[in-house]
Amino acid sequence: QEYPTRAERPLAAEVGNHCYLQYGTHAAADAGNGWTSHARMGQGRYPWLSAWPCDSFTEQRDNLVKGSAVIEELIGVRPASFTIPGDVLDGETALAVEAAGLEVGSETDATKWQKLLVFPAEHHPAGCERLVELTRMLPRDPQHAAQVAMLKFWLGFARRHGRALVYLAHHHLVMYEGNACYNLTAELLRHVLADTEGDIYPATLTALGRYWRDVLSPRTRCLKISLDGEGVRLENTGSRDLTGLPLELELASGGRYMRLVDVPAGAVVRVVA
């Protein structure tokens, strides 16, 4: 939110992991860059930098580490996901996010035209070992019916292709501009619940990213599934418990149903059809 802030509404701030200095926004102004509004990488020298001079990768990594440390110090939560502020990124952003210990990123390697015209699939950004990128689609913060209609189109695309759709709305912060974003966000959620026949699973960015990494990613998945006699054998070779996994079973008779299965870390679970 632009500052200085003066609002009659009860909400005037949010907790979000967007670096310590939020590049490309008013919140990038800092003594280390001479209080330059909308500063970018390479425009300042800051006390939290681990080395000087430094490259873009080092600055972004240290910026992320500092931001995560502040959040953990203030509210006791260690961030696991990240999204860029102000659409400021370069070829080092995804690598810096992973090096800072974060698991899931949004917009670490996507251009604006990709977010507007195509639907990037879940992936590990180039050079990253385990970081998961779930690209946020436009428009964000919908203000009129045409924008929420476009979001419904992308939701339909995600449903048909089995993709994760990342939706970002600051309806809790832009209430001072009116209630349009709030009401349109509510309409989008009603559409998810009423019109998609239970095909859509709403969750946080972190939850969806971890699920894709551990269950669906061809490179990092730790869930092994095989037929075992009259049932299915599920083995979790990872270090994280997998709970509520949607296991779809198709019978020889033509019947089909789904069960939610818990597979603890390092365990094998057998499900009899």
Side-chain angles (χ1 to χ4, degrees), residues 23-25 38-41 60 84-90 93 107:
Y23 296 123
T25 71
H38 292 74
R40 302 171 70 93
M41 294 82 79
Q60 291 185 77
I84 61 168
D87 289 321
V88 177
L89 74 159
D90 60 17
T93 301
E107 303 174 83

Side-chain angles (χ1 to χ4, degrees), residues 38-198:
H38 292 74
R40 302 171 70 93
M41 294 82 79
Q43 290 189 254
R45 180 175 181 177
Y46 311 103
W48 37 262
L49 289 175
S50 60
W52 185 260
C54 67
D55 55 13
S56 179
F57 166 81
T58 301
E59 181 178 327
Q60 291 185 77
R61 180 200 62 196
D62 293 354
N63 195 4
L64 285 156
V65 169
K66 175 64 175 177
S68 294
V70 169
I71 293 174
E72 185 172 29
E73 178 184 353
L74 292 176
I75 64 175
V77 175
R78 186 71 179 180
S81 60
F82 164 80
T83 188
I84 61 168
D87 289 321
V88 177
L89 74 159
D90 60 17
E92 304 296 325
T93 301
L95 298 172
V97 171
E98 181 169 76
L102 296 161
E103 302 176 51
V104 186
S106 180
E107 303 174 83
T108 65
D109 67 350
T111 64
K112 281 191 175 182
W113 74 265
Q114 286 176 314
K115 291 182 289 185
L116 185 65
L117 299 177
V118 300
F119 199 127
E122 307 82 32
H123 62 278
H124 301 291
C128 294
E129 294 296 323
R130 292 182 59 81
L131 178 69
V132 176
E133 166 71 11
L134 304 178
T135 303
R136 184 259 298 176
M137 297 302 294
L138 292 174
R140 68 177 188 181
D141 302 328
Q143 295 294 315
H144 50 73
Q147 290 180 326
V148 81
M150 184 174 179
L151 288 168
K152 289 182 178 181
F153 168 82
W154 286 126
L155 185 70
F157 181 95
R159 182 186 180 193
R160 292 191 301 273
H161 294 273
R163 298 276 186 82
L165 171 69
V166 177
Y167 168 57
L168 176 64
H170 299 83
H171 50 280
H172 54 300
L173 293 183
V174 299
M175 286 190 297
Y176 64 90
E177 297 178 358
N179 289 321
C181 183
Y182 177 88
N183 291 326
L184 291 173
T185 298
E187 166 57 23
L188 184 65
L189 294 177
R190 279 195 296 269
H191 174 65
V192 169
L193 295 173
D195 304 327
T196 60
E197 300 178 318

Side-chain angles (χ1 to χ4, degrees), residues 202-273:
T204 64
L205 185 75
T206 298
L208 287 173
R210 284 174 171 169
Y211 179 83
W212 185 82
R213 179 196 64 197
D214 294 341
V215 178
L216 300 177
S217 167
R219 194 170 79 203
T220 61
R221 62 188 176 198
C222 58
L223 183 68
K224 297 181 179 180
I225 304 175
S226 59
L227 294 177
D228 185 7
E230 296 181 352
V232 179
R233 181 180 187 273
L234 298 94
E235 180 182 3
N236 180 1
T237 61
S239 59
R240 193 172 68 89
D241 293 343
L242 301 176
T243 60
L245 295 177
L247 177 65
E248 291 190 358
L249 299 169
E250 188 170 346
L251 308 178
S253 61
R256 185 179 182 186
Y257 67 99
M258 184 181 74
R259 289 182 58 178
L260 298 180
V261 183
D262 296 343
V263 188
V268 174
V269 173
R270 289 177 172 85
V271 177
V272 178

